[in-house]
Amino acid sequence: METIQSISYPVVFNDGFAALKRFLSEKKYSKVFFLVDENSEKYCLPLLVESLGIQEYDLIEVTSGEENKNIDFCIGIWKMLIDFGADRNSLLINVGGGVITDMGGFAASTFKRGIDFVQVPTTLLSQVDASVGGKTGIDMDHLKNIIGTFAQPKAVFIDTNLLKTLPQRQLVSGFAEMLKHGLIADRNYFYLLKEASPENIDPALIHHSIKIKNKVVLQDPEEKGLRKILNFGHTIGHAVESFSLQNDQIALTHGEAIAIGMICEAFLSTQKTGLSAADLQEIVTTFKTFYEKHTIKEASVLDLIELMKSDKKNASGHINCSLLTQIGQCAIDYFCTEEELCQSLKFYINC
Ligand SMILES: NC(=O)c1ccc[n+]([C@@H]2O[C@H](COP(=O)([O-])OP(=O)(O)OC[C@H]3O[C@@H](n4cnc5c(N)ncnc54)[C@H](O)[C@@H]3O)[C@@H](O)[C@H]2O)c1
């Protein structure tokens, strides 16, 4: 499938890392570092290293999990770069899910005022969403992505074969961002996805999702306007994700939390941007087929609102949402009252 040209870099799709091999031989970096977590090291790094035919590289490993996407692990990455003698002509190759591509991109974009990095996303979620668009970052005090940069990788290399080892739950998680792409930009695609199986996803659908995201970020690389449509489901979803990380024994994945956020924000859309009751029903039914109901206690609703108040998308103290006008179209910059947000959470609790 064809390479997708993004802001300043190619997103190379299923070429067996031949383009990455060419890239490395042309660029002549002083040192090449791989950033992995224990799962991407075990399941993805061997294939990558073999395809590239390289013997010498430095490895930086962090422990997997959203709870580790923080400044402490970032300091660990910077220290390793220093210890291994990284200079400004070094390259960081981020091999992993969205936690690794976000944190690795952030670490690279700030180390010595910025070194080159490339993304090798290894989860469905990072292939369709996290590795494209130049948003990098870490969480702090349970606030999602509150520290970060816009920094473009030199390239993104996607190999859907890497998804073969991904647990089913992670595949379904990534599928949520694909459904979002349909909801905000492509009604037919949403209906196509309804019939798809996240456990056995067609690479053509992954490619299509990347094209949707890329089309949006090309028009608005730094989220001054249009790009905010990609935040549909994320104002409430990020709060649900942060809350779950703090309170649940087994925390929700990013995609599971965003799926809840999308149901709530679809309800809000019927109140504020004219989404029809039929489209809301369609969305709820679809999400119910892919995602188990998660228990949110009525008593937690106010805690969730508190988390939303610190969302980085807010302006002048107002909680900002991107909302649907219909399936396939999204409108930006709708400020929502606490009462409206409470209602939408209660809609989820009761649906
Ligand atoms: N920058 C962006 O534009 C953007 C967009 C969406 C999401 N995100 C971020 O992405 C993160 C979520 O990413 P994620 O869902 O990929 O989570 P993740 O990085 O935590 O990966 C999920 C799990 O899969 C494991 N794993 C990774 N690749 C594997 C493979 N091939 N086989 C087996 N196991 C594998 C990981 O070790 C981890 O345990 C969140 O922090 C979110 O904020 C960023």
Side-chain angles (χ1 to χ4, degrees):
M1 256 162 272
E2 95 258 17
T3 292
I4 298 167
Q5 187 55 40
S6 194
I7 299 163
S8 55
Y9 57 91
V11 182
V12 182
F13 200 84
N14 277 354
D15 85 331
F17 297 115
L20 176 54
K21 195 171 178 180
R22 271 197 310 280
F23 173 87
L24 290 176
S25 67
E26 281 163 15
K27 288 282 186 171
K28 307 265 180 282
Y29 284 102
S30 56
K31 267 178 173 285
V32 174
F33 297 86
F34 287 89
L35 177 68
V36 293
D37 66 21
E38 71 279 8
N39 294 314
S40 62
E41 179 181 10
K42 180 173 173 192
Y43 298 117
C44 309
L45 193 67
L47 180 83
L48 185 56
V49 167
E50 193 195 324
S51 305
L52 297 178
I54 51 173
Q55 273 94 43
E56 281 197 28
Y57 56 87
D58 286 309
L59 194 63
I60 304 176
E61 192 198 316
V62 295
T63 313
S64 67
E66 183 70 32
E67 65 279 16
N68 300 322
K69 187 177 137 181
N70 60 34
I71 193 69
D72 297 328
F73 274 83
C74 220
I75 290 171
I77 297 169
W78 290 320
K79 278 191 171 155
M80 295 281 274
L81 287 170
I82 293 167
D83 288 351
F84 286 146
D87 60 23
R88 291 180 99 172
N89 191 34
S90 298
L91 174 75
L92 183 65
I93 303 181
N94 300 315
V95 185
V99 167
I100 292 295
T101 55
D102 273 15
M103 186 159 61
F106 176 69
S109 73
T110 45
F111 183 76
K112 298 198 174 182
R113 298 211 172 83
I115 60 169
D116 285 358
F117 65 99
V118 300
Q119 309 284 42
V120 180
T122 64
T123 61
L124 181 59
L125 192 136
S126 58
Q127 294 194 347
V128 295
D129 208 4
S131 65
V132 178
K135 275 190 185 179
T136 80
I138 52 173
D139 308 333
M140 192 181 79
D141 288 347
H142 305 292
L143 298 175
K144 285 275 306 168
N145 304 327
I146 195 81
I147 308 294
T149 56
F150 279 106
Q152 308 306 331
K154 287 292 157 199
V156 178
F157 300 94
I158 287 176
D159 188 335
T160 55
N161 286 316
L162 296 176
L163 303 179
K164 284 180 186 153
T165 53
L166 199 63
Q168 190 255 359
R169 187 169 173 219
Q170 295 298 338
L171 288 165
V172 181
S173 173
F175 194 67
E177 297 281 15
M178 300 177 78
L179 288 167
K180 180 194 77 181
H181 293 147
L183 288 174
I184 61 171
D186 188 338
R187 190 178 182 99
N188 289 340
Y189 182 54
F190 178 76
Y191 281 96
L192 206 61
L193 289 174
K194 269 186 68 171
E195 307 306 322
S197 153
E199 292 86 356
N200 187 21
I201 201 83
D202 181 345
L205 295 175
I206 297 176
H207 193 261
H208 189 72
S209 257
I210 299 168
K211 281 210 290 199
I212 291 178
K213 172 151 188 189
N214 193 48
K215 197 171 164 196
V216 174
V217 299
L218 278 178
Q219 292 172 74
D220 179 18
E222 295 200 351
E223 201 168 288
K224 307 276 188 239
L226 174 78
R227 185 172 175 165
K228 294 180 189 173
I229 65 173
L230 293 165
N231 296 331
F232 171 65
H234 282 60
T235 300
I236 295 177
H238 273 164
V240 169
E241 185 180 3
S242 298
F243 187 83
S244 173
L245 276 167
Q246 291 173 73
N247 294 287
D248 293 336
Q249 274 213 319
I250 299 175
L252 289 168
T253 63
H254 178 74
E256 287 165 348
I258 296 310
I260 295 170
M262 285 193 273
I263 293 176
C264 296
E265 293 183 24
F267 172 79
L268 269 176
S269 305
T270 61
Q271 312 295 298
K272 295 179 78 77
T273 48
L275 183 76
S276 69
D279 273 1
L280 174 64
Q281 189 52 48
E282 188 70 51
I283 293 167
V284 172
T285 313
T286 304
F287 278 99
K288 275 187 174 170
T289 60
F290 294 114
Y291 300 90
E292 270 177 33
K293 181 82 180 277
H294 175 72
T295 305
I296 296 178
K297 297 194 183 98
E298 293 237 6
S300 310
V301 166
L302 289 180
D303 294 330
L304 289 166
I305 305 286
E306 279 309 308
L307 282 166
M308 283 174 223
K309 285 184 187 166
S310 304
D311 190 286
K312 64 188 176 311
K313 300 182 286 297
N314 296 344
S316 313
H318 297 293
I319 298 173
N320 190 354
C321 290
S322 302
L323 299 175
L324 301 178
T325 50
Q326 60 178 48
I327 291 177
Q329 268 181 26
C330 190
I332 59 169
D333 286 337
Y334 278 85
F335 293 116
C336 300
T337 64
E338 291 184 27
E339 179 55 27
E340 288 167 335
L341 293 158
C342 279
Q343 288 306 321
S344 72
L345 283 159
K346 285 181 184 161
F347 172 78
Y348 176 78
I349 290 169
N350 297 315
C351 80

PDB file of all heavy atoms in Angstrom, residues 74-91:
ATOM      1  N   CYS A  74      11.029   9.463  31.723  1.00  0.00           N
ATOM      2  CA  CYS A  74      11.652  10.330  30.729  1.00  0.00           C
ATOM      3  C   CYS A  74      13.083  10.674  31.145  1.00  0.00           C
ATOM      4  O   CYS A  74      14.005  10.637  30.327  1.00  0.00           O
ATOM      5  CB  CYS A  74      10.820  11.599  30.646  1.00  0.00           C
ATOM      6  SG  CYS A  74      10.641  12.148  28.996  1.00  0.00           S
ATOM      7  N   ILE A  75      13.250  10.969  32.423  1.00  0.00           N
ATOM      8  CA  ILE A  75      14.601  11.254  32.934  1.00  0.00           C
ATOM      9  C   ILE A  75      15.495  10.026  32.722  1.00  0.00           C
ATOM     10  O   ILE A  75      16.652  10.141  32.325  1.00  0.00           O
ATOM     11  CB  ILE A  75      14.541  11.659  34.433  1.00  0.00           C
ATOM     12  CG1 ILE A  75      13.899  13.041  34.563  1.00  0.00           C
ATOM     13  CG2 ILE A  75      15.932  11.644  35.071  1.00  0.00           C
ATOM     14  CD1 ILE A  75      13.575  13.460  35.994  1.00  0.00           C
ATOM     15  N   GLY A  76      14.895   8.847  32.950  1.00  0.00           N
ATOM     16  CA  GLY A  76      15.640   7.602  32.714  1.00  0.00           C
ATOM     17  C   GLY A  76      16.116   7.520  31.263  1.00  0.00           C
ATOM     18  O   GLY A  76      17.262   7.127  30.989  1.00  0.00           O
ATOM     19  N   ILE A  77      15.259   7.904  30.337  1.00  0.00           N
ATOM     20  CA  ILE A  77      15.640   7.856  28.907  1.00  0.00           C
ATOM     21  C   ILE A  77      16.767   8.867  28.638  1.00  0.00           C
ATOM     22  O   ILE A  77      17.780   8.542  28.004  1.00  0.00           O
ATOM     23  CB  ILE A  77      14.419   8.158  28.004  1.00  0.00           C
ATOM     24  CG1 ILE A  77      13.337   7.085  28.187  1.00  0.00           C
ATOM     25  CG2 ILE A  77      14.833   8.257  26.538  1.00  0.00           C
ATOM     26  CD1 ILE A  77      11.994   7.421  27.551  1.00  0.00           C
ATOM     27  N   TRP A  78      16.600  10.085  29.147  1.00  0.00           N
ATOM     28  CA  TRP A  78      17.648  11.098  28.932  1.00  0.00           C
ATOM     29  C   TRP A  78      18.979  10.637  29.520  1.00  0.00           C
ATOM     30  O   TRP A  78      20.028  10.814  28.909  1.00  0.00           O
ATOM     31  CB  TRP A  78      17.232  12.443  29.569  1.00  0.00           C
ATOM     32  CG  TRP A  78      16.113  13.144  28.863  1.00  0.00           C
ATOM     33  CD1 TRP A  78      15.930  13.236  27.513  1.00  0.00           C
ATOM     34  CD2 TRP A  78      15.037  13.881  29.462  1.00  0.00           C
ATOM     35  NE1 TRP A  78      14.791  13.971  27.243  1.00  0.00           N
ATOM     36  CE2 TRP A  78      14.234  14.377  28.416  1.00  0.00           C
ATOM     37  CE3 TRP A  78      14.662  14.167  30.778  1.00  0.00           C
ATOM     38  CZ2 TRP A  78      13.090  15.145  28.637  1.00  0.00           C
ATOM     39  CZ3 TRP A  78      13.534  14.937  31.004  1.00  0.00           C
ATOM     40  CH2 TRP A  78      12.745  15.414  29.949  1.00  0.00           C
ATOM     41  N   LYS A  79      18.927  10.029  30.716  1.00  0.00           N
ATOM     42  CA  LYS A  79      20.180   9.574  31.362  1.00  0.00           C
ATOM     43  C   LYS A  79      20.868   8.504  30.516  1.00  0.00           C
ATOM     44  O   LYS A  79      22.086   8.517  30.355  1.00  0.00           O
ATOM     45  CB  LYS A  79      19.883   9.012  32.756  1.00  0.00           C
ATOM     46  CG  LYS A  79      19.753  10.117  33.795  1.00  0.00           C
ATOM     47  CD  LYS A  79      19.742   9.526  35.196  1.00  0.00           C
ATOM     48  CE  LYS A  79      19.839  10.640  36.230  1.00  0.00           C
ATOM     49  NZ  LYS A  79      19.296  10.293  37.510  1.00  0.00           N
ATOM     50  N   MET A  80      20.053   7.571  30.000  1.00  0.00           N
ATOM     51  CA  MET A  80      20.630   6.511  29.168  1.00  0.00           C
ATOM     52  C   MET A  80      21.257   7.109  27.908  1.00  0.00           C
ATOM     53  O   MET A  80      22.326   6.679  27.477  1.00  0.00           O
ATOM     54  CB  MET A  80      19.553   5.502  28.749  1.00  0.00           C
ATOM     55  CG  MET A  80      18.956   4.717  29.893  1.00  0.00           C
ATOM     56  SD  MET A  80      20.019   3.381  30.405  1.00  0.00           S
ATOM     57  CE  MET A  80      19.516   2.110  29.292  1.00  0.00           C
ATOM     58  N   LEU A  81      20.581   8.088  27.323  1.00  0.00           N
ATOM     59  CA  LEU A  81      21.139   8.725  26.121  1.00  0.00           C
ATOM     60  C   LEU A  81      22.493   9.352  26.455  1.00  0.00           C
ATOM     61  O   LEU A  81      23.459   9.216  25.693  1.00  0.00           O
ATOM     62  CB  LEU A  81      20.174   9.793  25.583  1.00  0.00           C
ATOM     63  CG  LEU A  81      18.897   9.285  24.884  1.00  0.00           C
ATOM     64  CD1 LEU A  81      17.915  10.420  24.625  1.00  0.00           C
ATOM     65  CD2 LEU A  81      19.237   8.576  23.562  1.00  0.00           C
ATOM     66  N   ILE A  82      22.552  10.005  27.604  1.00  0.00           N
ATOM     67  CA  ILE A  82      23.818  10.637  28.012  1.00  0.00           C
ATOM     68  C   ILE A  82      24.877   9.560  28.265  1.00  0.00           C
ATOM     69  O   ILE A  82      25.989   9.628  27.742  1.00  0.00           O
ATOM     70  CB  ILE A  82      23.608  11.519  29.263  1.00  0.00           C
ATOM     71  CG1 ILE A  82      22.728  12.721  28.915  1.00  0.00           C
ATOM     72  CG2 ILE A  82      24.951  11.979  29.847  1.00  0.00           C
ATOM     73  CD1 ILE A  82      22.203  13.497  30.115  1.00  0.00           C
ATOM     74  N   ASP A  83      24.493   8.526  29.038  1.00  0.00           N
ATOM     75  CA  ASP A  83      25.466   7.466  29.374  1.00  0.00           C
ATOM     76  C   ASP A  83      26.007   6.769  28.126  1.00  0.00           C
ATOM     77  O   ASP A  83      27.165   6.384  28.067  1.00  0.00           O
ATOM     78  CB  ASP A  83      24.809   6.407  30.278  1.00  0.00           C
ATOM     79  CG  ASP A  83      24.578   6.951  31.679  1.00  0.00           C
ATOM     80  OD1 ASP A  83      25.074   8.058  31.976  1.00  0.00           O
ATOM     81  OD2 ASP A  83      23.872   6.279  32.467  1.00  0.00           O
ATOM     82  N   PHE A  84      25.122   6.594  27.131  1.00  0.00           N
ATOM     83  CA  PHE A  84      25.554   5.902  25.908  1.00  0.00           C
ATOM     84  C   PHE A  84      26.222   6.856  24.911  1.00  0.00           C
ATOM     85  O   PHE A  84      26.515   6.481  23.781  1.00  0.00           O
ATOM     86  CB  PHE A  84      24.364   5.228  25.216  1.00  0.00           C
ATOM     87  CG  PHE A  84      23.856   3.984  25.911  1.00  0.00           C
ATOM     88  CD1 PHE A  84      22.502   3.670  25.884  1.00  0.00           C
ATOM     89  CD2 PHE A  84      24.725   3.122  26.546  1.00  0.00           C
ATOM     90  CE1 PHE A  84      22.013   2.528  26.506  1.00  0.00           C
ATOM     91  CE2 PHE A  84      24.253   1.967  27.168  1.00  0.00           C
ATOM     92  CZ  PHE A  84      22.893   1.672  27.154  1.00  0.00           C
ATOM     93  N   GLY A  85      26.368   8.112  25.312  1.00  0.00           N
ATOM     94  CA  GLY A  85      27.114   9.055  24.465  1.00  0.00           C
ATOM     95  C   GLY A  85      26.335   9.611  23.287  1.00  0.00           C
ATOM     96  O   GLY A  85      26.910   9.860  22.216  1.00  0.00           O
ATOM     97  N   ALA A  86      25.038   9.813  23.465  1.00  0.00           N
ATOM     98  CA  ALA A  86      24.255  10.382  22.361  1.00  0.00           C
ATOM     99  C   ALA A  86      24.677  11.820  22.100  1.00  0.00           C
ATOM    100  O   ALA A  86      24.891  12.586  23.035  1.00  0.00           O
ATOM    101  CB  ALA A  86      22.768  10.344  22.718  1.00  0.00           C
ATOM    102  N   ASP A  87      24.805  12.166  20.822  1.00  0.00           N
ATOM    103  CA  ASP A  87      25.069  13.567  20.481  1.00  0.00           C
ATOM    104  C   ASP A  87      23.925  14.072  19.605  1.00  0.00           C
ATOM    105  O   ASP A  87      22.938  13.367  19.391  1.00  0.00           O
ATOM    106  CB  ASP A  87      26.442  13.728  19.810  1.00  0.00           C
ATOM    107  CG  ASP A  87      26.528  12.927  18.515  1.00  0.00           C
ATOM    108  OD1 ASP A  87      25.461  12.633  17.918  1.00  0.00           O
ATOM    109  OD2 ASP A  87      27.645  12.583  18.099  1.00  0.00           O
ATOM    110  N   ARG A  88      24.083  15.289  19.077  1.00  0.00           N
ATOM    111  CA  ARG A  88      22.946  15.868  18.341  1.00  0.00           C
ATOM    112  C   ARG A  88      22.719  15.198  16.991  1.00  0.00           C
ATOM    113  O   ARG A  88      21.713  15.446  16.338  1.00  0.00           O
ATOM    114  CB  ARG A  88      23.158  17.370  18.169  1.00  0.00           C
ATOM    115  CG  ARG A  88      23.055  18.079  19.494  1.00  0.00           C
ATOM    116  CD  ARG A  88      23.259  19.544  19.338  1.00  0.00           C
ATOM    117  NE  ARG A  88      21.991  20.246  19.291  1.00  0.00           N
ATOM    118  CZ  ARG A  88      21.880  21.565  19.303  1.00  0.00           C
ATOM    119  NH1 ARG A  88      22.946  22.315  19.316  1.00  0.00           N
ATOM    120  NH2 ARG A  88      20.702  22.134  19.261  1.00  0.00           N
ATOM    121  N   ASN A  89      23.669  14.356  16.591  1.00  0.00           N
ATOM    122  CA  ASN A  89      23.510  13.619  15.339  1.00  0.00           C
ATOM    123  C   ASN A  89      23.098  12.166  15.595  1.00  0.00           C
ATOM    124  O   ASN A  89      23.318  11.298  14.777  1.00  0.00           O
ATOM    125  CB  ASN A  89      24.821  13.684  14.537  1.00  0.00           C
ATOM    126  CG  ASN A  89      24.622  13.183  13.134  1.00  0.00           C
ATOM    127  OD1 ASN A  89      23.558  13.361  12.540  1.00  0.00           O
ATOM    128  ND2 ASN A  89      25.638  12.510  12.596  1.00  0.00           N
ATOM    129  N   SER A  90      22.503  11.933  16.767  1.00  0.00           N
ATOM    130  CA  SER A  90      22.023  10.583  17.079  1.00  0.00           C
ATOM    131  C   SER A  90      20.552  10.456  16.676  1.00  0.00           C
ATOM    132  O   SER A  90      19.850  11.457  16.513  1.00  0.00           O
ATOM    133  CB  SER A  90      22.151  10.309  18.573  1.00  0.00           C
ATOM    134  OG  SER A  90      23.501  10.367  18.962  1.00  0.00           O
ATOM    135  N   LEU A  91      20.127   9.208  16.561  1.00  0.00           N
ATOM    136  CA  LEU A  91      18.727   8.930  16.174  1.00  0.00           C
ATOM    137  C   LEU A  91      18.090   8.047  17.244  1.00  0.00           C
ATOM    138  O   LEU A  91      18.694   7.066  17.699  1.00  0.00           O
ATOM    139  CB  LEU A  91      18.689   8.195  14.829  1.00  0.00           C
ATOM    140  CG  LEU A  91      17.305   7.719  14.373  1.00  0.00           C
ATOM    141  CD1 LEU A  91      16.471   8.902  13.856  1.00  0.00           C
ATOM    142  CD2 LEU A  91      17.410   6.651  13.283  1.00  0.00           C
TER     143      LEU A  91
END
